[in-house]
Amino acid sequence: MTDRFANRVAFFLLVNLETIMHLDACIFRQSKSILITKLMTTTFSSCYKEPFMVFLIHTAAYVAIALSLQGCATPVGTNPVDIQTGYQLNIMSALSAGEASESAKMVLRRNGLLNRFEIEPETVLAELHASLKPSQDEDKLFALAELSMLHAQQTNDHAYFLASSVYAWSLLFPGSTEGIRLKYSDPRYRLAYELYNQGIAQGLANPDDDDQGEIEVYLKPGEYKLPFGKLTVMIDESGLTWGGYSLEHFISTASMEVRGLRNRYRMPGLGASLAASIAQQKIDGKAVGSNRIGPRIKVPVTALLQLGDARRHLAKGDLSARIQVYAADQTMEITVNGQPQSLEYDLTAALAQQLQNNPLYELEIANFFSSGLFGGIIPKDRAQDGLLTLHPYRPGKIPIVLVHGTASSPARWAELVNELEGDPLIREQFQIWAFMYDSANPIPYSAGRLRTALQKAVREFDPQGTDEAIQRMVVIGHSQGGLLTKTTAIDSGTQFWDLISDKPFEEISVSPETRQLLKESLFFEPLPFVKRLVFISTPQHGAMAAAHDWVTSLVSRLVKLPSTVLNGIEQAAVSSGDEKLNRLLRRPPTAADNMNPNNPALKTLASIPISPIVRAHSIIAVDGDGPIEEGDDGVVAYRSAHIDDVISEKIIRWGHSCQDQPEAIEEIRRILMEHLITPDFMTR
């Protein structure tokens, strides 16, 4: 009996040897079920030849062998994976992994097309398109959108990029057809937006651009090829102007990686997110504020391919569309098929594009020693007084004026600007301006330029005086910029003039231009529209380095002051014969002199109180963890930055350039929120 049993097992193994050799060592995968079936068949087929007890023994032995063949898994089951792997299996797509999502693969499997798609993707896509039902068929429509994108990525065929957008639009906005909208919780819902957005950017891209460089998107009318027909495109010209300038050179932000900024503020929605340049020359000279838009501005915009009732025209393959362009500071939401749709923008990417290779960084030090270099990068059709805006003036938004420090530029506010622009409430309620100046010039002169520029801008933007928001201006100054900031909210009387002349100002004989210059630089009254100040690392009582005479003397020899300053002093000195003015002419002061703790002008400025109708705040940097009162930021001591004339003081453990640190930015955010809800007052 034993021999017969062994013979049967040997015969079974011999017959099935080829199958066994191909099995997985652990679970025998799919073939194990075949072996088990054959083994049990062999057992029961011999039962009629054996006594009953012998049959039971043989059956038990065969069952044991069958169980051993079964191994550690069944034909159908699950394998454990970690959280990240499980999540990736659910979100994997043509955009995230260069592979079709499970939703798209499911459609291919249902139609027996999975393997064929790898071999002949265009044929498979054509068959899927031809089999689309006149309405609904959402699963297949989504698969077509994603698989078209996948094939376009592999071939760089722009027709398939555009096809992806057409399919995605048809899925999201079925129009007059009887469609079933995807649920918001369906992962395909957001992916359909991304496919549509990317399809526009890539489908309308410059065909000569590659994956390694910037992708410029051509927003042009014309007839575009589709895999299943053609797309006739018109363009809405009204969206191609901004602030009186034409928009041009549209760069896709979806293909950008931002560096140098802490957070990336991207508003997801509908449309291809782009960063647009503005033309060199204005097309509308009457646009309010167009002359104050900063140089090299990049405008965050979105391009929409309005496809209307595309779903109904898919079968015929003859579609039409209209390109619409929207700017982030003008339109946040549109209506499609009666439903509100948020638009896609990337504010941070546009800002980073603006600052990339920006000459401001290289000019900061050079401009300190040779004033006037900043002016060379400002187009001639813009204001030349240093006050620039990030966006066209918008009534109803409170201006935030940023004033940089010594040997610096507005570019150093990038982190703060990114955070403020990325905050929806601040973006809606405030508008950011920046003042750029030659920081080696005498501080009173720079302060006069700031004050004059602000007054001029208010008259330009609100000539009728009807905009309440512009009358609630917030001025924020870093380092020396804080000293300029203070002059917007003080009443100096004749104190600064008295420091440089013993003659009354009215008695000197100078040209009208020189008189105006001296008046703007030495006689300060509170600007009525300035309601709040923020001082950051400001040397209210002097900077440490400026306390050394050899430093100020060296700066004086190296710095070239503007001729307007020197001529003004000379005229006043010659006409008056005043010894003080002649002494000033022999050694004109620089900003370094004005920040010497012993400088009379600085002491005078420190002694003048801030206007009682203006709220002021201090943000003071103290490096290290020692006692605050004995500390400094490497440039300004705490005792110098501290003043009693503020309603709040925030200490930040950092170096002098703390304006880009999270604690400083959050304090500024807090102050701005407080400004929104706190009414202005007449007395403190």
Side-chain angles (χ1 to χ4, degrees), residues 126 129-135 166-167 170 176-177 224-232 309-320:
H129 179 87
S131 65
L132 265 177
K133 297 175 183 177
S135 62
V166 171
Y167 289 129
S170 301
S176 62
T177 62
Y224 294 82
K225 180 184 175 183
L226 292 173
F228 51 85
K230 65 178 182 179
L231 178 65
T232 303
D309 198 359
R311 180 70 175 92
R312 188 162 58 90
H313 298 284
L314 284 179
K316 293 183 179 180
D318 188 4
L319 290 88
S320 60

Side-chain angles (χ1 to χ4, degrees), residues 5-272:
F5 170 67
N7 288 339
R8 288 194 184 112
V9 173
F11 177 75
F12 170 79
L13 295 175
L14 181 62
V15 171
N16 295 280
L17 180 61
E18 183 177 358
T19 303
I20 293 172
M21 292 297 290
H22 287 83
L23 299 182
D24 183 274
C26 175
I27 63 174
F28 297 90
R29 300 201 185 276
Q30 297 176 352
S31 298
K32 66 182 181 293
S33 60
I34 301 173
L35 292 174
I36 294 169
T37 302
K38 287 187 176 182
L39 184 56
M40 296 305 296
T41 302
T42 303
T43 301
F44 288 105
S45 66
S46 62
C47 67
Y48 69 93
K49 300 178 182 179
E50 304 286 356
F52 183 70
M53 290 303 296
V54 174
F55 165 71
L56 289 178
I57 294 172
H58 285 189
T59 300
Y62 284 129
V63 169
I65 294 174
L67 290 174
S68 68
L69 285 174
Q70 185 173 345
C72 57
T74 59
V76 177
T78 61
N79 293 327
V81 295
D82 56 41
I83 293 175
Q84 290 73 26
T85 302
Y87 184 68
Q88 288 298 324
L89 290 173
N90 289 323
I91 67 167
M92 180 177 61
S93 72
L95 294 178
S96 67
E99 183 177 339
S101 67
E102 275 302 307
S103 297
K105 288 179 180 177
M106 188 183 302
V107 172
L108 292 174
R109 294 191 193 103
R110 286 175 181 172
N111 293 273
L113 299 173
L114 184 61
N115 293 332
R116 280 187 60 203
F117 181 74
E118 298 296 328
I119 302 169
E120 45 183 0
E122 293 185 7
T123 302
V124 169
L125 287 169
E127 291 178 8
L128 285 175
H129 179 87
S131 65
L132 265 177
K133 297 175 183 177
S135 62
Q136 300 182 358
D137 220 359
E138 282 75 19
D139 291 345
K140 193 173 293 183
L141 202 54
F142 172 81
L144 280 165
E146 185 182 8
L147 296 175
S148 294
M149 175 63 68
L150 183 60
H151 181 58
Q153 290 173 325
Q154 295 168 348
T155 62
N156 197 34
D157 189 331
H158 289 209
Y160 283 91
F161 280 125
L162 289 175
S164 180
S165 286
V166 171
Y167 289 129
W169 176 277
S170 301
L171 180 66
L172 293 168
F173 312 110
S176 62
T177 62
E178 186 182 347
I180 302 174
R181 289 176 60 88
L182 295 175
K183 294 181 178 179
Y184 297 148
S185 58
D186 190 328
R188 296 177 298 173
Y189 182 74
R190 181 58 212 171
L191 184 53
Y193 278 89
E194 299 291 354
L195 292 169
Y196 169 79
N197 298 348
Q198 285 280 5
I200 296 174
Q202 302 291 339
L204 300 178
N206 180 355
D208 296 328
D209 290 341
D210 55 38
D211 293 338
Q212 304 305 314
E214 294 179 345
I215 296 178
E216 183 173 358
V217 180
Y218 288 168
L219 302 180
K220 297 180 178 180
E223 188 172 291
Y224 294 82
K225 180 184 175 183
L226 292 173
F228 51 85
K230 65 178 182 179
L231 178 65
T232 303
V233 175
M234 304 295 288
I235 187 164
D236 184 350
E237 300 283 349
S238 65
L240 297 181
T241 59
W242 182 85
Y245 293 86
S246 294
L247 294 176
E248 58 185 20
H249 302 306
F250 299 89
I251 306 298
S252 172
T253 63
S255 56
M256 292 180 187
E257 180 182 12
V258 173
R259 57 181 173 81
L261 294 173
R262 194 171 292 114
N263 295 315
R264 182 169 184 170
Y265 291 100
R266 169 180 170 268
M267 294 176 283
L270 188 68

Side-chain angles (χ1 to χ4, degrees), residues 93 114 160 258 277 280 352 366 537 554 590 622:
S93 72
L114 184 61
Y160 283 91
V258 173
S277 301
Q280 291 294 320
S537 303
L554 178 62
T590 67
V622 176

Side-chain angles (χ1 to χ4, degrees), residues 385 403-404 435-453 480-481 483-485 487-488 517 520-521 524 562 565 590-591 594:
D385 56 17
V403 188
H404 64 79
F435 180 66
M436 182 166 61
Y437 64 103
D438 300 330
S439 59
N441 287 342
I443 289 177
Y445 173 75
S446 297
R449 283 180 57 83
L450 168 64
R451 291 168 49 85
T452 301
Q480 180 190 157
L483 298 177
L484 273 60
T485 295
T487 67
T488 66
L517 173 65
E520 291 174 354
S521 303
F524 304 137
V565 173
T590 67
N594 294 145

Side-chain angles (χ1 to χ4, degrees), residues 536-554:
I536 306 175
S537 303
T538 298
Q540 307 279 8
H541 302 283
M544 294 188 296
H548 303 287
D549 290 339
W550 69 269
V551 172
T552 55
S553 297
L554 178 62

